[in-house]
Amino acid sequence: MGDSAESLARAIGERVKQERKGRDWTLDKLAELAGVSRRMLVNVEQGAVNPSIGTLLRISDALGVGLPALVEPPAPRAARITRSGEGALLWTGPSGGRGVLVAGTESPDVVELWDWTLAPGELHESEAHSAGTRELLQVQEGALTIEIETESYELSVGDALTFRSDVPHSYANPGISPSRFTLAAVFEPGVGAGHRTEAPNA
């Protein structure tokens, strides 16, 4: 991990530990509720790993706080500014792709704003999110293929797609130039009311 990734991992670990202890939960209890191993949870709290988006989603849902609460400092004001370059880099692809959580709202009705870039040939697979979650995205550059269970959608610059993401889905760049898209919203209703099911790693 680079310096920024290490800082983010430490911040996430501290917030997870704070939320867990605030509920007087043991590591074993949170691990069970989140559906992750105790070892993984220990590593997350120690800031020793850069956990996958799927792992962070399971932990945040179990805590009932939503993913943005784990990667952003608490905001005492009604408005929060995320300056350019300050978003949380939560995914990097093998060829340089990036998934950045730019901003998000608090639970129980969590809305997230993401900025994604996929290098040619890169693929990001996402597990099924909590029941009722929906995504809206728009392609800013290049081409994008979205697969939702058995359905496939081909998008180009300016195209937008709205879909339910409580099923396995993926984003791929089939072109020869980088693809960039704004995941305009990930709406997760009632975060913490239920728990995500196990699915392929996000």
Side-chain angles (χ1 to χ4, degrees), residues 110 128-135 163-167 186-190:
V110 177
H129 301 316
S130 56
T133 301
R134 290 171 173 80
E135 299 188 9
F163 64 98
R164 293 186 63 130
S165 55
D166 51 6
V167 295
V186 177
F187 174 59
E188 301 175 81

Side-chain angles (χ1 to χ4, degrees), residues 118-142:
L118 297 177
E122 277 191 328
L123 168 73
H124 173 70
E125 294 180 307
S126 180
E127 65 183 50
H129 301 316
S130 56
T133 301
R134 290 171 173 80
E135 299 188 9
L136 298 86
L137 63 83
Q138 185 180 38
V139 179
Q140 307 298 324
E141 300 174 21

Side-chain angles (χ1 to χ4, degrees), residues 20 26 34 53 77 82 99 102-103 130 147 163 171 174 180 198 200 202:
R20 177 178 64 80
T26 63
I53 296 172
R77 299 190 177 117
T82 303
V102 178
S130 56
E147 290 195 0
F163 64 98
Y171 319 92
R180 184 175 184 182
E198 288 293 332

Side-chain angles (χ1 to χ4, degrees), residues 73-149:
R77 299 190 177 117
R80 176 193 293 134
I81 297 176
T82 303
R83 299 294 183 188
S84 178
E86 291 182 352
L89 176 61
L90 296 180
W91 180 83
T92 54
S95 300
R98 296 160 55 91
V100 179
L101 178 58
V102 178
T105 61
E106 298 175 355
S107 60
D109 295 326
V110 177
V111 179
E112 301 166 6
L113 179 64
W114 291 79
D115 183 13
W116 282 87
T117 303
L118 297 177
E122 277 191 328
L123 168 73
H124 173 70
E125 294 180 307
S126 180
E127 65 183 50
H129 301 316
S130 56
T133 301
R134 290 171 173 80
E135 299 188 9
L136 298 86
L137 63 83
Q138 185 180 38
V139 179
Q140 307 298 324
E141 300 174 21
L144 187 67
T145 299
I146 308 293
E147 290 195 0
I148 307 166
E149 291 192 301

